[in-house]
Amino acid sequence: MASQAARRGGVMRPPSSGVRAAAARSPAASFLLAAAAVAALVGGFYFWLVVSSFRLPDSGDAGCRPDGEGSWAVGMFYGSSPLALRPIELEGRSNGNSSAWPVANPVLTCATATEAGYPSNFVADPFLYIEGDTLFLFFETKTTTSMQGDIGVARSFDQGATWEFLGIALDEAWHLSYPFVFKYENEIYMMPEGNKKKELRLYRAIKFPLEWTLEKVLVNKPLIDASLIQFEGYWWLFASDFTRHGVEKNAELEIWYSNSPLGPWTEHKQNPIYKSDKSLGARNGGRLFVFEGSLYRPGQDCSGTYGRRVKLYKVEKLSKEEYKEVPVNLGIDEPKKGRNAWNGMRFHHMDAQRLASGAWIAVMDGDRVPSGDSTRRSLIGYIAFLLASALVIFVGFMKGAITCYIPSSLWVPLTRRTELPRIFSVHRFNQKVRRYSTSISRYISAAKTKLGEKTWSNMLFFCVVALFTIVNVCIAVHFLYGGNGAEEAYTYQGQHSQFTMVTMTYEARLWNLKVFIEHYSRCESVREIVVVWNKGNPPSSDAFDSTVPVRIRVEEINSLNNRFRVDPLIKTRAVFELDDDIMMTCTDLEKGFRVWREHPERMAGFYPRMIDGNPLQYRNERYARGKNGYNLILTGAAFMDSEFAFKTYWSEKAREGRDYVHKNFNCEDLLMNFLYANASSTRTVEYVHPAWAIDTSKLSSVAISRDTQKHYDIRTDCLAKFSSIYGPLPQKWEFGMREDHWDK
């Protein structure tokens, strides 16, 4: 075959060159595939461990989608003074129809408008109009159809605990917001911001609250967030004009005055009052109000991000020639839960008004993400993905280069000898190429030799590159698939609520408790954490890193019955009993709370068991899975109605069971299940599948039940005892019966 090639005048290539070329491709391709597979596995694991805990928007929802302007919502506040307001959840207002004991902020969200048939991404800039015992709330709602702000309106008959979305009060061809509503000479007016129209318009209600007509243009300037107040004989207009020369956006304030809110308006001599420094609260943050004879103005601190917080100013001088204000304490506790709080990142608007009773009521908007967050998260995610891809390709190329064979014929095309001298210029060009290729080959060979050495430095190099790749994969997954990065609470019947966490521990498990409290206090619906201290010297409440109150309840005797002791200081109906050695995501807690609120007469928990057999035998969750059902929920991680559960547990009929629990130091959760079953002929337990849960007792030597078989034997005896006293447990309920699949 070789002689035939020579006779045809061709140049014979080494027969093994094709094999070597294929071999050169194989390591690189194999490494690329392996690296991609590892990155995918790491990304999937990270998604399961961390990102799955974030609440993601439902792709079927028409509203409440990620929006660059934020995810604003509205909350209610009450107090005897506008300088000492408290959120609705601290006022004890309840709604049994939504199992909200108590109702918690936010009371109005994008879901309120969306579920009423007006898809919205957020609601903001709330203004109250009070008519007797009825509250009307006007606000900006960013509709998903036009992606611009319209003015929505809602109504409440119970002082703001529940709201009915009535519809869109005002819709123009341009963006509308900041619907300042007021009454003047028996007419109701609205002065919304519409600066895209480059004028400040006044509308009058012709059929309140949904029909309005243009009354007049007050000022031919693109004024932003304009507020009116009648004070000391004049009407004063506070607003911002960011088109004024030499002013910084969100840092300008100007004042106008008139004898009537209908105008004409005259500019204040000191205009602009502010023109720089966005942190000073120049831009209005809601309605001005008078308290004890003094005028107060809420403004927006826009440092760091738009609408970072409301700042309150007391006006000391206001005349046609002078204006002076000084900052005062807003009187509202700032949120501490970050993105897990509805107003954790921003709250930029407040409308406080005095009721006929003399008490004060206020609405405030808030956001759990900073301005532009969705765009920023997408950008970071895509950049991380590109970096991870580039690193995989780079390492694959380097690995392939180590074993790659490059024949000299690749650099210069081989031709017949008779053709080489045919064209002199081509010959000279080939010589230059050969000379340069020889130099390049020498450098490549040196690099291959260096990289091919199995040294610690080479291994470290590739490990570092692999680590950076994995980090970038995790970052990409986190920012592209992690929603807004918050573990949000779920609503039921359009309302939020709160629960109290109760855990039982003692001195030897203090390290567990500190981690426990630091983590769970950040969950949005947690109102308070009660620590049942069974033994040893109790710590101070100040010893914990907590965003909610921590109460140490010291018990006189060391008994498992203390977990369910009646506690009149608990302010919520819902109690979440959780062992101090169980760690799970806040989102799973919020799911469990939502399930409990659907049926507050049941226990809702995360650890199912199937109790059956003759005699009854205690088995683990694997047995329940094999039976595809459960009839008992461990109360070491379960929601229950504190009023019913605790009183029932400490009733006279439960005395014999309590004595047995105290004697054996076990089975308090089994007793609670029997008591529930004895008190009802319907379903008593509900299971919620957690994304993941970690039992930290495996990391310590102080677990109560380290001998599993002995623990199970004791619990089997408990089943026999309790069934003889309180009757049988119900038949099983199958897994996967919920439409949301939270019980699979």
Side-chain angles (χ1 to χ4, degrees), residues 481-537:
Y481 298 100
N484 60 11
E487 297 182 273
E488 298 182 41
Y490 289 84
T491 62
Y492 177 61
Q493 301 289 354
Q495 289 193 303
H496 290 83
S497 188
Q498 291 185 325
F499 61 88
T500 300
M501 289 193 69
V502 177
T503 189
M504 187 167 59
T505 191
Y506 59 102
E507 192 173 34
R509 297 161 69 94
L510 184 58
W511 73 274
N512 255 19
L513 184 63
K514 289 185 176 181
V515 175
F516 178 99
I517 290 177
E518 181 179 358
H519 171 66
Y520 289 116
S521 71
R522 269 75 180 173
C523 299
E524 182 167 6
S525 297
V526 174
R527 163 78 171 268
E528 179 190 29
I529 297 178
V530 177
V531 178
V532 180
W533 195 262
N534 256 5
K535 185 174 66 174
N537 296 320

Side-chain angles (χ1 to χ4, degrees), residues 30-63:
S30 299
F31 183 83
L32 282 170
L33 290 173
V38 171
L41 287 172
V42 172
F45 177 76
Y46 183 81
F47 184 91
W48 169 78
L49 184 64
V50 178
V51 178
S52 62
S53 67
F54 299 142
R55 181 179 175 185
L56 304 179
D58 187 347
S59 59
D61 287 348

Side-chain angles (χ1 to χ4, degrees), residues 11 412-431 434:
V11 177
V412 179
L414 295 177
T415 60
R416 296 187 178 94
R417 293 187 186 91
T418 55
E419 296 177 351
L420 287 176
R422 254 182 25 189
I423 304 174
F424 183 71
S425 59
V426 174
H427 179 66
R428 291 184 59 189
F429 174 76
N430 285 348
Q431 285 183 325
R434 286 182 180 277

Side-chain angles (χ1 to χ4, degrees), residues 144-206:
T144 58
T145 52
S146 62
M147 293 304 290
Q148 73 173 24
D150 296 329
I151 304 304
V153 59
R155 177 176 58 191
S156 174
F157 296 110
D158 56 5
Q159 295 292 292
T162 58
W163 291 91
E164 175 192 6
F165 187 88
L166 299 179
I168 301 298
L170 192 60
D171 181 7
E172 296 283 17
W174 54 90
H175 175 85
L176 296 174
S177 61
Y178 207 83
F180 186 91
V181 180
F182 66 100
K183 191 171 187 178
Y184 176 69
E185 293 184 348
N186 295 321
E187 297 284 357
I188 303 175
Y189 295 94
M190 182 197 301
M191 185 179 64
E193 180 204 315
N195 71 87
K196 299 295 183 183
K197 192 66 176 174
K198 300 188 182 303
E199 56 190 21
L200 181 62
R201 292 182 157 205
L202 184 68
Y203 295 82
R204 177 173 52 84
I206 55 177

Side-chain angles (χ1 to χ4, degrees), residues 4 42 118 248 258 281 302 411 423 468 567 587 623 632 668:
Q4 290 176 357
V42 172
Y118 300 88
E248 183 181 358
S258 173
C302 292
W411 298 102
I423 304 174
F468 273 99
D567 188 342
T587 294
Y623 179 79
L632 183 144
E668 80 286 357

Side-chain angles (χ1 to χ4, degrees), residues 230-300:
Q230 187 178 23
F231 187 69
E232 294 184 347
Y234 289 95
W235 283 85
W236 302 91
L237 173 65
F238 291 73
S240 299
D241 179 11
F242 300 146
T243 63
R244 185 188 287 267
H245 178 71
V247 304
E248 183 181 358
K249 186 178 180 181
N250 298 324
E252 195 259 10
L253 174 67
E254 54 190 56
I255 302 174
W256 302 61
Y257 61 89
S258 173
N259 291 318
S260 164
L262 306 182
W265 292 93
T266 304
E267 280 200 64
H268 195 278
K269 289 186 178 181
Q270 284 187 213
N271 279 351
I273 305 300
Y274 299 117
K275 63 179 181 179
S276 62
D277 192 348
K278 294 184 288 187
S279 68
L280 292 178
R283 182 169 180 168
N284 282 332
R287 189 188 303 267
L288 287 81
F289 60 87
V290 177
F291 176 63
E292 294 182 347
S294 296
L295 179 63
Y296 292 84
R297 184 185 72 87
Q300 296 183 43

